[in-house]
Structure formats: structure tokens, C-alpha cells
Amino acid sequence: MVKLTPNVTSIADIAKAVEAAGADSVSLINTLLGMAIDAEKQKPILSTITGGLSGPCVKPIALRMVWQVSKAVHIPIIGLGGIMSAIDAIEFLLAGATAVQIGTANFIDPQVSIKVIDGINDYLERKSIAKVKDIIGLI
């Protein structure tokens, strides 16, 4: 599994290249490169000046990239980036993710993974959909 960075011009091209090189799957996205400045001190807040931005704010970018990659490769895609709820996870599945990974939300609620699984099951039942795989890539 190759974890793809969003800090590229074309994530679909990168995904195609790693698939061609023999990757069994891809996961995306990694953190976006960001920066924070302390205006009073007139200095970067991070000692490294720039650093990774993650959490709910990256979800729209992650969804777009998962969707783009799902149209470009034939290997499984693990979607991540801002998943805080079952609906977030379902959106990633609809965009083409084969599975999802939850990161930041675990710091807020250690039970979030169980809640997401239950929420996905509730969604499938409500929509009369037999299996999760039936919603993968519907968008």
C-alpha cells in the first residue's frame, strides 16, 4: 500500500504510476502542507516553519482526490482525511474508496470507529442496500 500525498499537481497520475510499479493498493490523502505565523512575534509557530494540516478541514480535498484516483486506477483505495462520522465515511465510499481510515477523530472520541461501523450499517439498512461494496464508487 502506497500512501499518496495531496501536495502534487495530479494525484491521478501519481496513483497510475504507483499502480504500474506494482502497488497492491493506495491510501490517500496524507496531510496538506501548511504554515502558521505568530503575528505578534513575527515568526513561524512551527519550528520547521511548515507542517502537515489534517482533520475535518481537508475532507473536501480528500474526497475529490479519492474520486479522481478511483477513476484512474484498478487497485483498492483506502480513503482518509477528515472522517469524523459515518456520513463522512459513506461519502468516501461513494467517491470510490474501498475502505476508510479514521485518524484525528480518534483523539476526540476513542469509540468513533464503532460508531462509524454502526452508522454505515444503519445507512445501508435505511437505503435497502445489501452490502457496503454496493455503494463503492457510485459517484
Side-chain angles (χ1 to χ4, degrees), residues 2-7 11-12 14-15 18 26-31 69:
V2 177
K3 189 167 189 179
L4 303 181
T5 176
N7 301 303
I11 194 131
I14 302 297
V18 299
V26 291
S27 68
L28 60 142
I29 63 171
N30 203 339
T31 58
V69 168

Side-chain angles (χ1 to χ4, degrees), residues 2-139:
V2 177
K3 189 167 189 179
L4 303 181
T5 176
N7 301 303
V8 296
T9 304
S10 173
I11 194 131
D13 289 343
I14 302 297
K16 285 191 241 182
V18 299
E19 180 181 44
D24 294 319
S25 61
V26 291
S27 68
L28 60 142
I29 63 171
N30 203 339
T31 58
L32 290 160
L33 193 56
M35 182 178 180
I37 296 174
D38 182 325
E40 291 303 317
K41 294 180 182 177
Q42 298 179 349
K43 293 185 179 195
I45 290 175
L46 300 175
S47 64
T48 55
I49 301 175
T50 62
L53 176 67
S54 63
C57 62
V58 306
K59 185 182 137 202
I61 296 162
L63 278 171
R64 181 217 2 128
M65 290 187 163
V66 164
W67 177 77
Q68 288 175 317
V69 168
S70 76
K71 304 302 179 205
V73 300
H74 299 93
I75 55 178
I77 299 165
I78 291 72
L80 57 131
I83 298 173
M84 304 295 286
S85 68
I87 292 300
D88 292 336
I90 291 162
E91 290 173 8
F92 274 85
L93 296 166
L94 290 167
T98 315
V100 297
Q101 178 182 330
I102 301 171
T104 302
N106 285 297
F107 294 114
I108 298 164
D109 179 3
Q111 297 297 313
V112 70
S113 295
I114 301 303
K115 292 175 183 176
V116 167
I117 291 167
D118 291 344
I120 291 171
N121 287 331
D122 290 344
Y123 175 85
L124 295 175
E125 187 175 315
R126 221 173 5 92
K127 297 286 188 181
S128 300
I129 299 170
K131 299 176 182 176
V132 171
K133 72 177 187 171
D134 294 336
I135 66 169
I136 294 172
L138 285 180
I139 303 296

